[in-house]
Every structure is written in structure tokens, then in C-alpha cells.
């Protein structure tokens, strides 16, 4: 050592000074530690008093602790802990709670748990009649600053993860801790009989709803190394989540769920989290997803989460595993300066049979047992800036390489090439079946249908029918932009091919699985030359609904005008095209003398000009493309009600058709497409919108007129909730009747 100092020529006096300073600091620390140790009980009681006062003033919580004392150098034992929100049910009670912290991290201001022992506790969550005993958790702190500082999400995420990991003790013993939730109609109990962490090994036994099931969480936890590997399973049965099923009508269960945290890094302004989630025999059922149980035998995601200063993303290095299928997702949500949504998905080239074999069972009935060959590659890209939704970027493509169908599955995709039995549905109920083919006297071949009718319907529903392969990305892109701006599914992008597949191969249920299945069948038919375009159009005209129990163009032409499909005029054809999206509204377009209501003239001119622009008809400025020559069949005019006697209920029920079939026609490119009633009466607001506005005004009037004399804030809140509950019931009643 002396040689080292001599080599670097460090004067001995500086060495002596450094030694003296170090010794002095050590003595000061020892003296301070001794003083703190001697006064630690007083400091503990002072800290508890501050916590209790803060809980009372800021959260209206009555916190009581029977006793608190040090039982070791850095271990505190609590007895008789209770937490009761003001005017609420008791929230928490713990008979015994011992917690110890690590000394060395504490010196640097980091509180890391070394051990935790807890026995005989109860966390009681209630939500009765809209009153929660945990609503203090959602109470926002008052912002006393005049200027809000910008939040760095990367720093926030890093600090949050560290705090969570710090609170996982090296050793833990929990006995008899009950967590219960009780709502108006739902409830669950989770009793942790025993949970132990011993040297990083986790074991636990949890009884669900008084023994209805027994859960286990087991694995390893090394929070200091940022490594966690935990499995969740049940004894002798699947893990079921009854509370989720009760609250959200979502049936969800699985054999085992595995969660891993592999690493957490913070550098270059980003926090990166490497994780893994895997599941076996996952079952999902929800009316919005599918009408039957969907089962995933095995699935997983290796998710690499990246958090930047103003964004959260799942990196493209992440991998989704679904049986034999693998895909690389990319998701990014940017918060500022405007919200930006990005989503990408790429599978790369995969054996086609592996793709079909990997679909969850119960999801796509049509493809059960299908045999295919070749390779498939799927890619998806979505970019939407909330500040410029009309500039949304969207593309979705399924590429093939030597792809071919060896054997059809449950659905014979070539059945439409010859006569077949068609069963239409109305509000989920089947109507009488009919033969679609020459055997049926109402059948019309394509050559027997007026060119004006063919052109009018194609222009309104699918202008590029003969050019597209079943999908029009521009229409889908515009649909996304419109739906985003309106905050609801207001506009669709269904082509004639999609409508045909939906009506002939699939049920009428409105589920995500059915929509994806429709897209896949269209792709199979269009990209494998299973049907010609002419045949598709001919079948379409013979099954499409044109009115109450009016299916096929021959029935429609005779029903409305008493003519054959070949005799339809341009005006009659444009009228029939106008009611394809809402066929049950057909007669509302007419006056009692059989002429069309004036509000439809703009639609005739718009569609007519589009047809003329494609040289499908001649420009017409005098008769509005046949509008003034359309006359309803005389024998049908008695069924036309005068406009002032048509009730809102009747009109709205008439428009209560399948919103999934929405024309691709853009009458005014810069404005949302008008509804049928808007076209009919030339009004900006529909009757439904006016009724909705009236309901909102009525609620506001009642709330504003509440008599607050002598009432507590709680009583006033309850009255407001009751008014809103009644309005909700009335709104649901109107929806059930088809009025909203």
C-alpha cells in the first residue's frame, strides 16, 4: 500500500486528513444512530400520529392501531389495525402485522421490505346502491400549483416498478387473510389460508367463495434481481373468475396462467420491461365476441414493453404464440402533442395448414376440418393521429404462396355455384327457406335484370365490385375515420361480396368472431376463384331483402311496381338501391298518391350523377334521373301512411335493420353519409336524436330542481343517482321498443 502512495506521490498529510475525516463521520453516524435508536419508539408513535391525521383530513378515514412497537433493529409489530371510511362500511381489519425493512437501502432513502408477517385480516370492499367504501381511492388531490409540470412517463414507470418490487419482501408469512367484495348483485370471497415466500420461493393456498374452489400461486420471486416467475392454477378444476362473469357477462377460465418478469432497464430516456404471459386451455365467451365458447389450448406473448417520456409501446421484438401460429405485434400510444394510435402485426410466411389449425376452437365453425396447402403471410398496419383522423393510414393484407384448398371444412364454399337452400333471418328468427336457383319461379338470372338496377345497386353499395377482391381499403379507412370522430360504429365498409357471404354462410349474430369469419370466407372465395363475379352478383340479387318478407329482385320489382326485373326503369332502380341498407323502410319513401317524398330528390341526383360519371347512364337535369316518374303500385298505396301520422316509434322500428350493411356511396365526401330518414325528410336530426336530447334535458331539469333544504350532501347525491337511474331505465325501455 505504501508503495502505491509513493508511486502516485500522495503526501502523507493528505492521507492522515482523509483518515481523520472518515473516522469523524463514522463517529457522528454512530452517535446519530444511537440517538435515533434510543428515540425510535417516540419517532414511531409520531409517524403513526401523522399518518392517522393525514388519513382523516385528506381521505376521511378513521385509522386505529391497537399497539405498535419495535421488535428488532428494523422490525415493527402492529396489533389491532382497523380502517373505517366516514359513513361507510369497515374497510380493513388486521389482528397482527409485522414488517421489517432492509437497513442499507434505508440509509439512501429506499424502503425495501425484508420480511412481512400477517395474520387474521379482512379487506372488505362494498359497493351497495352506488355507495363504495373505497371511493377515497379515486379522490383527486387538489393541485396547488399554478402551472402543471410535464410528466415523464419513462421516469414515472421506472419509479413505480421499483416501488412495487421494493415492497415484495424476501420472506413472507400470511395466514387467514380474507378479501371480500359485495355489490348490489355480485360478490366474491378470497380467503388466503396460507401464503409463504421463503428464500424467493412462493407457495400459497386460497379458498374461493367458502371452498367452491382452491387457488394456488406458486413460483419464484427475486425482486432485487427484477425476476419473477409465478403460476396461477386451481385444485382439480379450472381457474374461474365468477366476479368478472357476474359484472361483465364474460365467461373466462383457464387451467394455468404463467406470468414472468424477466428484466427491467432504464436508460436513454426509456424504461424497458421484458415480460411473458402464457395460458393453457383458456376459455372465453361473451356475446360481443362469439355465440359459443372459444378455447385456446395454449397461447402466450413475450411482451417487451417500452415506456418513453410521452408514449407507451409494445416493441416489435415481442412475439405472440397461438398453438402453431406466431406473430410479431407492435403497439404504440403517444399522448402528446396529440394522441396517436399505432398498431402493426406481421406473421411472416407460415404453413397455411398451421394457420387454420391454430384458430381457437368454437371461433370459426365454417373452417372446421378444412385441409389446405401452401403458405400464408398476414400483415396489418394502422396509424391514427387524433388531431387528423381523416388522414388515418390503414392496410390489411393476406398474401399467399402456392395456396390451395384440398378439402372444404364444415362449410362448402362452392355451394353457391349451383342451386342451394337459403334461409333468411329476421331479428334472429328463421323465415321460410327457399330455393335459390332456376327451380324457383321467382329466380332471376343476371341477364333478366335491368342494367339500370344492376348499375344503381353496385354504384350505391360497391362501386368497384368488378375490380376489387372483396374488400375496399379506402372505404374501410373512411369508416375508421368516421367512427373515430363520432365515437361510435356509425359507418361500415361492407362490399357486395361481404354481404353475400354474411347472408349465405353465416348466422346473423353481430359478434367479432362472425365478422372475422366473414372476412376470411370472402378472401377464400375471391382469391381462389371459387366463384365468378357474375355468379356472385346474380346470387346477391336473388337473396337480398327489399322489404317485409320480400327477398330477391323479382319479388321486389313486382311488389313495388308490378313489373319484371327486366322492366325496371332508372328511377325505380335508384329507389330500390336506396332501400337496400334499410329494406323495412321501403314504403315510408312514398306519399299516399304513390309518388316519392320530395326529400329523396337529392339522393336521386347524387347517385344519378355518380352513375353518369361512370357512363352508366346519361346526365339528367330535368327529371332528376327518373325521380318524378316513380309511382308505387296502386294496390299498395293504401298501406302508405300520411307523413304526419307516422309515429316516431314506427319510423325508428322501420330503420332498425342490420347496421352492418352500410353503402359505400359518399353523397357528400366531406360530410358523414345521411341516414335514410335524413334523406327522406331532408332533416339534420333524426327523431331518435330529438328523443335522446329530450331525455337529457329532462334529467338536467330534475337535477337542477332538487330541493336541497335540510338535506345532507349524501342525500342529495342519492337523489341525483335515482334520477339518472330512472332515466337509464326509460332509455333502455325505448331501446327495447326500437325507438332509440
Amino acid at each position: 500500500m505504501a508503495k502505491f502512495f509513493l508511486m502516485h506521490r500522495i503526501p502523507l498529510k493528505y492521507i492522515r486528513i482523509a483518515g481523520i475525516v472518515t473516522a469523524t463521520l463514522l463517529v457522528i453516524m454512530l452517535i446519530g444512530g444511537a440517538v435515533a435508536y434510543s428515540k425510535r419508539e417516540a419517532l414511531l408513535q409520531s409517524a403513526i400520529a401523522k399518518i392517522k391525521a393525514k388519513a382523516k383530513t385528506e381521505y376521511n378515514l378513521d385509522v386505529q392501531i391497537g399497539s405498535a412497537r419495535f421488535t428488532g433493529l428494523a422490525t415493527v409489530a402492529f396489533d389491532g389495525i382497523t380502517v373505517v371510511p366516514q359513513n361507510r362500511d369497515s374497510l380493513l381489519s388486521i389482528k397482527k402485522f409485522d414488517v421489517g425493512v432492509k437497513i442499507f437501502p434505508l440509509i439512501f432513502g429506499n424502503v425495501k421490505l425484508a420480511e412481512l408477517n400477517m395474520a387474521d385480516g379482512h379487506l372488505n370492499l362494498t359497493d351497495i346502491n352506488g355507495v363504495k367504501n373505497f371511493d377515497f381511492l379515486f379522490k383527486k388531490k387538489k393541485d396547488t400549483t399554478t402551472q402543471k409540470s410535464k410528466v415523464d412517463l419513462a421516469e414515472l414507470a421506472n419509479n413505480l416498478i421499483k416501488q412495487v418490487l421494493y415492497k415484495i419482501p424476501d420472506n413472507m408469512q400470511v395466514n387467514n387473510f380474507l378479501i371480500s367484495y359485495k355489490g348490489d348483485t355480485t360478490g366474491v370471497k378470497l380467503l388466503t389460508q396460507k401464503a409463504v415466500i421463503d428464500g424467493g420461493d412462493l407457495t400459497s393456498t386460497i379458498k374461493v367463495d367458502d371452498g367452491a374452489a382452491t387457488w394456488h400461486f406458486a413460483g419464484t420471486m427475486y425482486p432485487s434481481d427484477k425476476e419473477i416467475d409465478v403460476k396461477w392454477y386451481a385444485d382439480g378444476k379450472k381457474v374461474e373468475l365468477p366476479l368478472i362473469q357476474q359484472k361483465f357477462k364474460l365467461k373466462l377460465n383457464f387451467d394455468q396462467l404463467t406470468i414472468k418478469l424477466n428484466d427491467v432497464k432504464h436508460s436513454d430516456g426509456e424504461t424497458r420491461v421484458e415480460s411473458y404471459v402464457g395460458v393453457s386451455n383458456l376459455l372465453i365467451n361473451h356475446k360481443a365476441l362469439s355465440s359459443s365458447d372459444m378455447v385456446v389450448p395454449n397461447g402466450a406473448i413475450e411482451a417487451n414493453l417500452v415506456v418513453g417520456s410521452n408514449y407507451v409501446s409494445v416493441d416489435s421484438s415481442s412475439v405472440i404464440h397461438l398453438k402453431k401460429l406466431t406473430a410479431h405485434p407492435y403497439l404504440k400510444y403517444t399522448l402528446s402533442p396529440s394522441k396517436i394510435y399505432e398498431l402493426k402485426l406481421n406473421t411472416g410466411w407460415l404453413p397455411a395448414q398451421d394457420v387454420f389449425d391454430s384458430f381457437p376452437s368454437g371461433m370459426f365453425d365454417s373452417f372446421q376440418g378444412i385441409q389446405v396447402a401452401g403458405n400464408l403471410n398476414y400483415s396489418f398496419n394502422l396509424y391514427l393521429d387524433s388531431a387528423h383522423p381523416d388522414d388515418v393510414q390503414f392496410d390489411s393484407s393476406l398474401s399467399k404462396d402456392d395456396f390451395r384448398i384440398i378439402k372444404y371444412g364444415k362449410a362448402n364454399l362452392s355451394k353457391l355455384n349451383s342451386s342451394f337452400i337459403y334461409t333468411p333471418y329476421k331479428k334472429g328468427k328463421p323465415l321460410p327457406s327457399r330455393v335459390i336457383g332456376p327451380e324457383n319461379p321467382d329466380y332471376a338470372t343476371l341477364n333478366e335484370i335491368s342494367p339500370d338496377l344492376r348499375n344503381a345497386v353496385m354504384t350505391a353499395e360497391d362501386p368497384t365490385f368488378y375490380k376489387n377482391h372483396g374488400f375496399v381499403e379506402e372505404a374501410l379507412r373512411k369508416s375508421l375515420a368516421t367512427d373515430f370522430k363520432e365515437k361510435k360504429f356509425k359507418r361500415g365498409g361492407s362490399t357486395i361480396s361481404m354481404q353475400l357471404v354474411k347472408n349465405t354462410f353465416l348466422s346473423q349474430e353481430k359478434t367479432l368472431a362472425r365478422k372475422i369469419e366473414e372476412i376470411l370466407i370472402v378472401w377464400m372465395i375471391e382469391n381462389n376463384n371459387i366463384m365468378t363475379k357474375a355468379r356472385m352478383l346474380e346470387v346477391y340479387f336473388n337473396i337480398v331483402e327489399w322489404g317485409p318478407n320480400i327477398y330477391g329482385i323479382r319479388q321486389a320489382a313486382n311488389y313495388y311496381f308490378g313489373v319484371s326485373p327486366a322492366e325496371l326503369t332508372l328511377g325505380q332502380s335508384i329507389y330500390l338501391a336506396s332501400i337496400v341498407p334499410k329494406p323495412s323502410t321501403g314504403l315510408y319513401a312514398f306519399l299516399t298518391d304513390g309518388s316519392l317524398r320530395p326529400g329523396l330528390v337529392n339522393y336521386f341526383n347524387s347517385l344519378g350523377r355518380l352513375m353518369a360519371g361512370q357512363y352508366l347512364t346519361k346526365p339528367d337535369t330535368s327529371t332528376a334521373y327518373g325521380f318524378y316518374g316513380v309511382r308505387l303500385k296502386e294496390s299498395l298505396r293504401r298501406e302508405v301512411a300520411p307523413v304526419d301520422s307516422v309515429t316516431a316509434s314506427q319510423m325508428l322500428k322501420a330503420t332498425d335493420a342490420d347496421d352492418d350493411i352500410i353503402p359505400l356511396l359518399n353523397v357528400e365526401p366531406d360530410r358523414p353519409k345521411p341516414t335514410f330518414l335524413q334523406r327522406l325528410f331532408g332533416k339534420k336530426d333524426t327523431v331518435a336524436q330529438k328523443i335522446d336530447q329530450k331525455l337529457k334535458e329532462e334529467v338536467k331539469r330534475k337535477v337542477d330542481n332538487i330541493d336541497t333544504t335540510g338535506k345532507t350532501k349524501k342525500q342529495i347525491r342519492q337523489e341525483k343517482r335515482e334520477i339518472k337511474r330512472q332515466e337509464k331505465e326509460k332509455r333502455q325501455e325505448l331501446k327495447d321498443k326500437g325507438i332509440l
Side-chain angles (χ1 to χ4, degrees), residues 147-179:
Q147 186 176 7
K148 291 185 178 181
S149 58
K150 187 177 180 181
V151 177
D152 187 320
L153 293 181
E155 288 289 343
L156 180 65
N158 186 52
N159 292 333
L160 180 62
I161 292 170
K162 284 198 298 185
Q163 291 305 314
V164 171
L165 293 176
Y166 287 170
K167 300 308 180 284
I168 299 176
D170 292 340
N171 297 286
M172 180 185 76
Q173 178 86 34
V174 176
N175 295 308
N176 196 33
F177 185 77
L178 175 66
I179 300 175

Side-chain angles (χ1 to χ4, degrees), residues 268-316:
D268 300 326
E270 290 183 339
T271 296
R272 303 182 68 90
V273 181
E274 296 179 11
S275 63
Y276 169 93
V277 178
V279 67
S280 60
N281 284 326
L282 171 67
L283 184 148
I284 303 176
N285 188 313
H286 189 277
K287 64 180 183 180
L289 297 175
S290 175
S291 59
S292 58
D293 294 344
M294 296 188 296
V295 179
V296 178
N298 53 77
I301 178 170
E302 300 171 34
N304 296 323
L305 183 69
V306 181
V307 183
S309 60
N310 67 333
Y311 65 86
V312 179
S313 72
V314 175
D315 192 70
S316 58

Side-chain angles (χ1 to χ4, degrees), residues 37 146 238 270 311 315 329 367 409 423 426 574 592 597 733:
Y37 184 81
T146 56
K238 289 190 169 189
E270 290 183 339
Y311 65 86
D315 192 70
F367 299 119
T423 304
K426 196 69 175 179
I574 292 178
T592 52
R597 299 192 189 280
E733 182 181 353

